[in-house]
Amino acid sequence: MSTSRPMTRSRALQQRAASLLPGGVDSPVRAFRAVGGDPPFVARALGAYLHDADGNRYLDMFGSWGPMILGHAFPPAVEAIQSAAARSASFGASHADEANLAELVVRCFPSVERLRFVSSGTEACMSAIRLARGFTGRKFIIKFEGCYHGHADSLLVKAGSGIATLGIPGSAGVPEETAMHTLALPYNDLAAVESAFAAYHGQIACIIVEPVVGNAGTILPAPGYLAGLRALTHQHGALLIIDEVMTGFRLSLGGAQQIYGVTPDLTTLGKIVGGGLPCGAFGGRADVMEHLAPLGPVYQAGTLSGNPLAMAAGIATLTHLIEHEHAVYSHLERITRAIAEGVAAIAHERGIPLTTNRIGSMFTWFFTGQPVHDFTSAATSDAASFARFHHAMMDHGIWLPPSQYEAAFVSTEHGDVEVELILEAARKSLT
Ligand code: KE4
């Protein structure tokens, strides 16, 4: 898809990157394959805006896929990272800021009695799964279609045919022997979970769930769904892992579990917890976490876990969110509602089928006329219409996540000016 924006330098950078990195990227979604065309190469970012190598400015509507809730180059985080770097980037030894950040996490997530930092959301989810298996002595796990928990083998699994049947590899390189211990079930379907527990009685270690799905686009839990998962895991002696990598500190200080009032056994975190630096965490019940080495038999480790720079950035970010909680989340709610509903109204006026799913400052415009409550209904979206919209919005300076199946995010640096920019761009792009 051609564009009216100068892209010379980005295209040259893309060609160079493609000769070194598969697809020219370090993470597939950045390659724009779902929408076509060439991705701009970012040179710098500040506040709500990205600036590419050709000098184009874009309003950032994906925020590094969630972490940049306070906008790019948030000054307290920049200062904290700079001063931490002057004390060395990594010690490989214990230091005070690990507990300093852990205390802030525990303050926001009362269900987290103990936690451990890792370097990504993938590591957090992979480690939580291993811990659940080690704690229960059981092999099988349940995940849900459309939910993504990082790229660990046992989580790259598609739904087998039918309900409560074994998963099949969702990626080359994942052996069937691994996938077979993962049950991939429809989201928002408690009957499917009951069937799975009946079919694999006493064999299921845990359920891992995105409490609000962000990786099929935004999909909200049906009323009672999360409470139903909690009841079934209690009933069957399985652990409930709530994956708050995306929703943690995003939907509220205490993530989705604060909003929906569900207490998991384990929580996984990432993105915002590190203020944009490589950082994840997993934590929960002390009796479960104490099965981790060096206290217990479940091994888990990481050279850069608890890294001083990531801890400093996380402390600066969470401190601001905690100290300005009401102002932050009321602003995010107001601005995101204006954006999501404003564009939906334009589409409706023009007879363009559009379903908007939103909670707080994460949302998705699905190009379908149907309600979207699981992956199957999300897949009724017209991806070609989304791609055309995405490129038109790019040409008007609005950078949406480059896939129909991703969530858009708003930062505290988005304001009324940015709302108007988006609505004006949408009026020119929704054709
Ligand atoms: P990372 O390993 O990418 O830090 O986290 C994996 C992960 C785990 N759980 C949830 C709910 C997540 O959303 C993610 C990662 N999210 C994607 C965005 N859909 C990361 C973007 C990418 O893969 O480049």
Side-chain angles (χ1 to χ4, degrees):
M1 289 182 175
S2 65
T3 176
S4 58
R5 289 165 285 125
M7 287 283 285
T8 310
R9 289 239 350 106
S10 278
R11 288 204 174 98
L13 289 168
Q14 167 69 21
Q15 282 177 348
R16 174 168 172 256
S19 69
L20 296 159
L21 313 172
V25 294
D26 287 315
S27 200
V29 71
R30 303 178 192 170
F32 272 41
R33 293 296 166 95
V35 294
D38 297 320
F41 272 53
V42 176
R44 61 187 176 88
L46 181 64
Y49 293 89
L50 300 162
H51 300 264
D52 75 8
D54 291 282
N56 300 303
R57 187 189 80 157
Y58 304 89
L59 179 58
D60 180 2
M61 294 302 290
F62 60 105
S64 183
W65 305 96
M68 311 318 282
I69 192 168
L70 296 175
H72 291 286
F74 174 58
V78 173
E79 287 152 28
I81 294 165
Q82 287 172 333
S83 57
R87 298 191 293 273
S88 175
S90 179
F91 308 135
S94 297
H95 63 101
D97 271 354
E98 294 168 276
N100 290 337
L101 181 55
E103 279 177 351
L104 297 176
V105 172
V106 166
R107 179 171 165 181
C108 298
F109 285 86
S111 70
V112 176
E113 298 172 339
R114 298 284 187 283
L115 67 146
R116 175 161 288 172
F117 291 109
V118 292
S119 296
S120 70
T122 292
E123 260 197 282
C125 294
M126 174 182 75
S127 305
I129 295 284
R130 183 182 312 131
L131 177 57
R133 284 172 159 155
F135 179 77
T136 61
R138 299 176 178 183
K139 283 183 182 177
F140 291 85
I141 65 172
I142 290 175
K143 75 172 289 288
F144 299 97
E145 291 165 88
C147 291
Y148 176 71
H149 307 286
H151 61 92
D153 280 1
S154 57
L155 292 166
L156 286 181
V157 170
K158 288 190 298 191
S161 58
I163 286 175
T165 54
L166 306 181
I168 52 180
S171 166
V174 175
E176 290 80 8
E177 296 79 5
T178 301
M180 69 178 286
H181 293 115
T182 301
L183 293 158
L185 305 179
Y187 186 75
N188 271 332
D189 181 342
L190 284 175
V193 179
E194 288 177 290
S195 299
F197 274 115
Y200 297 87
H201 185 67
Q203 301 177 69
I204 296 173
C206 66
I207 288 177
I208 185 166
V209 64
E210 284 189 66
V212 171
V213 181
N215 289 288
T218 305
I219 300 174
L220 275 61
Y225 179 64
L226 297 176
L229 296 181
R230 178 67 284 182
L232 284 167
T233 45
H234 271 149
Q235 181 185 342
H236 293 279
L239 299 188
L240 178 61
I241 303 172
I242 290 190
D243 179 352
E244 300 242 30
V245 167
M246 190 181 275
T247 54
F249 313 105
R250 166 63 59 183
L251 303 187
S252 75
L253 269 186
Q257 59 193 266
Q258 174 181 315
I259 290 174
Y260 292 97
V262 176
T263 302
D265 300 296
L266 294 174
T267 296
T268 57
L269 295 167
K271 299 182 191 280
I272 293 171
V273 75
L277 268 67
C279 184
F282 65 106
R285 284 169 41 190
D287 65 319
V288 177
M289 290 298 289
E290 286 168 4
H291 275 65
L292 278 176
L295 300 180
V298 179
Y299 193 71
Q300 181 277 333
T303 300
L304 298 177
S305 298
N307 173 269
L309 273 61
M311 297 298 100
I315 290 165
T317 300
L318 295 199
T319 298
H320 185 86
L321 293 173
I322 291 167
E323 290 179 355
H324 304 277
E325 177 180 8
H326 176 71
V328 164
Y329 293 101
S330 56
H331 176 83
L332 290 172
E333 172 64 26
R334 181 176 72 83
I335 294 296
T336 312
R337 186 192 309 127
I339 292 168
E341 294 178 4
V343 170
I346 296 166
H348 182 69
E349 285 161 14
R350 298 176 182 193
I352 297 171
L354 196 81
T355 292
T356 303
N357 283 1
R358 179 183 75 85
I359 177 169
S361 59
M362 71 185 268
F363 71 94
T364 300
W365 292 303
F366 291 97
F367 279 73
T368 178
Q370 294 184 33
V372 176
H373 52 83
D374 60 10
F375 184 67
T376 301
S377 45
T380 66
S381 302
D382 179 343
S385 294
F386 177 83
R388 282 194 301 276
F389 177 60
H390 184 274
H391 277 278
M393 292 291 271
M394 289 290 282
D395 279 344
H396 291 102
I398 312 298
W399 190 334
L400 297 173
S403 167
Q404 173 68 93
Y405 302 114
E406 292 288 353
F409 298 103
V410 169
S411 82
T412 52
E413 293 303 292
H414 290 68
D416 295 313
V417 168
E418 284 69 36
V419 172
E420 282 313 308
L421 283 175
I422 293 168
L423 298 186
E424 189 52 35
R427 289 187 193 98
K428 298 170 185 169
S429 304
L430 282 169
T431 53

